[in-house]
Amino acid sequence: MVRKPPAVLVKVAAALAALAAFDLAAPHIAGSTGTAVQVAGLSLISIPLATLVPRAMRPPSAVGVPLLAAFGGAVLATALLIWAGYPGTPATLAKLCAASVLGLALGSLLQTTAEIVGIALLIAAVDIYSVAAGPTRVIVEHHVDVLNAFTLALHPLGSQGVAQIGASDFVFFAVFLAASTRLGLRREAGWLAMTASFGVTLMLSYMLDRALPALPLLSLSFLAVNLGPLRARMAAAHDELP
């Protein structure tokens, strides 16, 4: 008797296949399009397809050998694909898997509401500094190879170029998803709001013609959607204090 693969693997594979199919087809769709249309395509199609991957994964109950093996395998696959000359869609899929697994693992370790709120505020502040005057700016301006290695490359409509989104942005996207599951927050609404935040950041970056950090709006969207549940959990924790 042939055993069926776990449902979560089927969902992850389907999400990856959908992203791969669109990313490979995007340069050949709509011919030569304007930048505004390309940004809209990334915001409304490519990014939502990418965020379906961590959404399809199941947060682990514990960080064990299987999870570490999955993360290590995704990192190794990324390195091999880049070394073999496939830094585009194949490597992007591997990076997305690695970022999602790492984020889900980190998010599953969170125990309290204060921890996730603190992380959301901290990463927003750090990302603003990093993009404005810190390590991210230095990498973007002087270390293109490093930038390419640690970003996901998504093809806009009608272009062979790529839009780059930091793998770390997807790590924290997955952290918030895992925390939502663990703490009983609004996971699906959070996924939708956080996905939209990536698109809004991309659109603002295009309108302002400058690189913008993605984590501030990601954190804001997560906190805004979960404001009620977070306040309720914090109040309950306060009431339990002696």
Side-chain angles (χ1 to χ4, degrees):
M1 181 178 179
V2 178
R3 296 180 60 184
K4 293 183 179 180
V8 64
L9 293 182
V10 174
K11 292 179 180 179
V12 171
L16 289 170
L19 176 60
F22 182 77
D23 195 59
L24 291 171
H28 311 288
I29 297 175
S32 179
T33 60
T35 305
V37 174
Q38 293 175 344
V39 171
L42 290 165
S43 301
L44 299 175
I45 303 175
S46 299
I47 290 175
L49 287 175
T51 63
L52 281 175
V53 174
R55 178 177 176 267
M57 295 181 179
R58 184 172 56 201
S61 56
V63 179
V65 173
L67 189 68
L68 295 176
F71 174 68
V75 171
L76 178 60
T78 299
L80 290 175
L81 286 166
I82 294 174
W83 174 78
Y86 298 97
T89 301
T92 288
L93 297 179
K95 293 176 195 177
L96 179 56
C97 288
S100 298
V101 171
L102 178 59
L104 290 173
L106 294 175
S108 69
L109 298 176
L110 298 176
Q111 301 291 330
T112 67
T113 303
E115 290 175 348
I116 190 60
V117 172
I119 287 173
L121 297 176
L122 177 62
I123 64 171
V126 170
D127 202 29
I128 290 173
Y129 165 74
S130 183
V131 172
T136 299
R137 181 172 181 175
V138 174
I139 290 172
V140 169
E141 294 180 350
H142 303 292
H143 303 283
V144 177
D145 290 342
V146 176
L147 177 68
N148 293 339
F150 289 94
T151 55
L152 279 64
L154 301 175
H155 289 99
L157 291 170
S159 173
Q160 292 293 338
V162 295
Q164 294 176 306
I165 302 177
S168 60
D169 297 335
F170 280 90
V171 170
F172 288 107
F173 189 102
V175 166
F176 290 142
L177 281 183
S180 296
T181 300
R182 185 172 183 82
L183 301 177
L185 304 178
R186 296 167 178 161
R187 188 176 190 270
E188 294 306 313
W191 170 79
L192 185 61
M194 291 190 295
T195 298
S197 79
F198 279 169
V200 171
T201 298
L202 186 61
M203 290 180 181
L204 288 175
S205 180
Y206 161 65
M207 294 171 62
L208 299 174
D209 192 26
R210 60 180 301 176
L212 295 176
L215 295 183
L217 277 185
L218 179 73
S219 295
L220 178 62
S221 62
F222 168 77
L223 294 174
V225 166
N226 290 294
L227 181 60
L230 287 171
R231 290 179 62 183
R233 286 185 60 89
M234 293 181 76
H238 182 270
D239 292 340
E240 292 175 0
L241 293 175

